[in-house]
Amino acid sequence: MNDSPGWATPGSSPSDGEGSPGTQPPAGGSGSDSKWSAEQPPPGQWSSPTPGHTPPNPQQPPAPQPGAGWGSYGTGPQNGGPNGWGAHTQAVKPGVIPLRPLGLGEILDGAVSTMRKHWRAVLPITLIVAVVVQLTSVLTQKYLFADLVVDASGSGTGKEELESFGSMIGVSALDGFIQLVGSIVATAMLTMIFSRAVLGHGSSIGAAWREARPQLLRLFGLTLLLGIGSAVLFGVLVLPGALAGQAALAILGGFAALGVILWLWIRFALASPALMLEQTTVRKALVRSSKLVKGSWWRIFGITLLTGIITTLLSALIVLPLTVMGALVFGGGLDGMADGTGATSWGYLISVGIGGVIALTITMPVQAGVTVLLYVDQRIRREALDLELARAAGIENYGTTTPPTGG
């Protein structure tokens, strides 16, 4: 066990159906949030609680208050979890989150706390990516979109309008590809920073890059696979009705496609941190995410949706005033925006770009952090990852306190 991201070797977790070397599988069923972990260290590094056993030089957790449970709140009996002897008490908190199952507020607070405590590593990454993305967007709109405006008067031929529309799609695809690459790099590096923040360890941009670089191509492949898979699924369910000229059938297929895509998207929501932190393959990361999300789909959906709403509103509060100011001051007002000249003026584009840089710099770490902490939370609930995290954080004898006896 060390303090490197991942905290466990790929494929050694109980959700993969394999125990680590020298361990026994859990006696209970699989997939339950309250089962004891099969992810235990090799013999000699950690001893499970046994009556009358006192480990050498123990560091006891805080004494429980009257009426409270015994120990910290985790997933196993040693932590007073659902199958333990007590209820929620103060948990060990070496980093930005306590080592127990997390609530919504704790996940959001952990993401924001990491930004605040480790801003020297977090903000430069997101700022650089945001500047590159917005600069590309500004130059694209200024020098390419300005020449690809479809003639609204109807004087152009259908072929010319089709070519212009195709060129516009190509430029948009190029712009989107650059944004995709930037977001993947930022997500990979931020994942490493958040993994260390959970342990209370700092990180640097160079260290985050070195740890993330080996998995970047796989993360890129994972992102493309999810995107292409969603597009193919949508086409399969919508095209039959569209080709048959049945609008109702096409609309019904569209709703069905959106539902299936949403379900799959949440089911694979934890694939990215699993890929990066467990140093695994794309296929294994998808399987890991599916098993970790199983039984908690609605909870993860709700937290992901709420995070998206919060970051969207925050972005709107930043971007919208600068967009309106740019349109009124530099874009010629409503007339300039209506005829398309204002939307390609330097003043307007720069105003919108500045707003986009600020918004991305702030919201990107929040979204990445929530995803990483959801992954950590699910592993604590299902695999008692708090034991591994405590050892990686240097907390000795965590979880070895003998439970109270008697009624």
Side-chain angles (χ1 to χ4, degrees), residues 194-359:
F194 274 94
S195 71
R196 292 188 174 276
V198 168
L199 303 175
H201 299 166
S203 187
S204 65
I205 297 176
W209 170 250
R210 287 191 299 271
E211 293 167 353
R213 184 174 54 188
Q215 291 293 96
L216 276 179
L217 287 180
R218 286 178 174 175
L219 182 60
F220 186 77
L222 172 65
T223 306
L224 282 184
L225 179 62
L226 293 176
I228 294 174
S230 299
V232 170
L233 181 60
F234 189 84
V236 167
L237 294 178
V238 173
L239 280 181
L243 295 176
Q246 300 292 328
L249 183 60
I251 293 175
L252 182 61
F255 280 114
L258 291 177
V260 175
I261 289 171
L262 175 61
W263 181 79
L264 290 174
W265 202 264
I266 298 301
R267 190 172 182 86
F268 298 136
L270 305 183
S272 173
L275 178 79
M276 298 303 301
L277 296 178
E278 297 181 18
Q279 301 290 302
T280 187
T281 63
V282 172
R283 184 186 67 82
K284 290 182 179 180
L286 292 172
V287 172
R288 286 285 286 139
S289 177
S290 178
K291 291 182 177 180
L292 289 172
V293 172
K294 184 178 180 181
S296 302
W297 191 95
W298 283 107
R299 177 175 178 273
I300 294 175
F301 167 72
I303 294 176
T304 303
L305 177 63
L306 181 60
T307 302
I309 293 174
I310 292 174
T311 54
T312 299
L313 290 176
L314 182 59
S315 296
L317 289 175
I318 297 171
V319 174
L320 188 58
L322 289 172
T323 301
V324 173
M325 183 191 72
L328 295 177
V329 177
F330 306 106
L334 296 178
D335 294 336
M337 299 304 294
D339 60 24
T341 58
T344 57
S345 65
W346 276 115
Y348 172 79
L349 292 175
I350 291 175
S351 298
V352 174
I354 291 174
V357 167
I358 298 173

Side-chain angles (χ1 to χ4, degrees), residues 68-400:
W70 170 84
S72 58
Y73 189 93
T75 54
Q78 83 282 8
N79 287 328
N83 285 344
W85 297 282
H88 180 115
T89 61
Q90 184 67 33
V92 175
K93 187 177 179 181
V96 295
I97 58 170
L99 299 186
R100 56 171 169 76
L102 305 175
L104 169 62
E106 290 169 326
I107 291 175
L108 293 173
D109 179 69
V112 175
S113 296
T114 303
M115 290 177 57
R116 185 178 67 252
K117 295 179 180 179
H118 305 282
W119 63 269
R120 289 182 179 85
V122 172
L123 295 184
I125 293 173
T126 56
L127 178 61
I128 291 172
V129 171
V131 168
V132 172
V133 168
Q134 292 301 317
L135 181 61
T136 302
S137 179
V138 167
L139 294 177
T140 298
Q141 293 183 61
K142 178 63 179 178
Y143 292 109
L144 296 179
F145 276 155
D147 298 330
L148 296 176
V149 178
V150 177
D151 187 1
S153 65
S155 58
T157 64
K159 182 179 179 181
E160 291 175 344
E161 292 183 356
L162 185 61
E163 291 178 351
S164 179
F165 183 72
S167 300
M168 187 175 295
I169 292 179
V171 171
S172 299
L174 176 62
D175 187 31
F177 178 77
I178 294 175
Q179 294 187 33
L180 176 65
V181 173
S183 64
I184 288 175
V185 172
T187 299
M189 297 177 68
L190 290 174
T191 298
M192 298 305 175
I193 293 174
F194 274 94
S195 71
R196 292 188 174 276
V198 168
L199 303 175
H201 299 166
S203 187
S204 65
I205 297 176
W209 170 250
R210 287 191 299 271
E211 293 167 353
R213 184 174 54 188
Q215 291 293 96
L216 276 179
L217 287 180
R218 286 178 174 175
L219 182 60
F220 186 77
L222 172 65
T223 306
L224 282 184
L225 179 62
L226 293 176
I228 294 174
S230 299
V232 170
L233 181 60
F234 189 84
V236 167
L237 294 178
V238 173
L239 280 181
L243 295 176
Q246 300 292 328
L249 183 60
I251 293 175
L252 182 61
F255 280 114
L258 291 177
V260 175
I261 289 171
L262 175 61
W263 181 79
L264 290 174
W265 202 264
I266 298 301
R267 190 172 182 86
F268 298 136
L270 305 183
S272 173
L275 178 79
M276 298 303 301
L277 296 178
E278 297 181 18
Q279 301 290 302
T280 187
T281 63
V282 172
R283 184 186 67 82
K284 290 182 179 180
L286 292 172
V287 172
R288 286 285 286 139
S289 177
S290 178
K291 291 182 177 180
L292 289 172
V293 172
K294 184 178 180 181
S296 302
W297 191 95
W298 283 107
R299 177 175 178 273
I300 294 175
F301 167 72
I303 294 176
T304 303
L305 177 63
L306 181 60
T307 302
I309 293 174
I310 292 174
T311 54
T312 299
L313 290 176
L314 182 59
S315 296
L317 289 175
I318 297 171
V319 174
L320 188 58
L322 289 172
T323 301
V324 173
M325 183 191 72
L328 295 177
V329 177
F330 306 106
L334 296 178
D335 294 336
M337 299 304 294
D339 60 24
T341 58
T344 57
S345 65
W346 276 115
Y348 172 79
L349 292 175
I350 291 175
S351 298
V352 174
I354 291 174
V357 167
I358 298 173
L360 278 176
T361 302
I362 296 175
T363 59
M364 196 182 301
V366 173
Q367 292 174 323
V370 167
T371 302
V372 173
L373 295 181
L374 272 173
Y375 164 83
V376 174
D377 174 57
Q378 286 301 110
R379 287 195 62 183
I380 288 177
R381 291 170 182 269
R382 294 183 180 275
E383 304 170 2
L385 183 65
D386 53 325
L387 301 176
E388 300 291 335
L389 295 177
R391 282 199 300 276
I395 301 174
E396 298 180 3
N397 303 310
Y398 176 82
T400 61

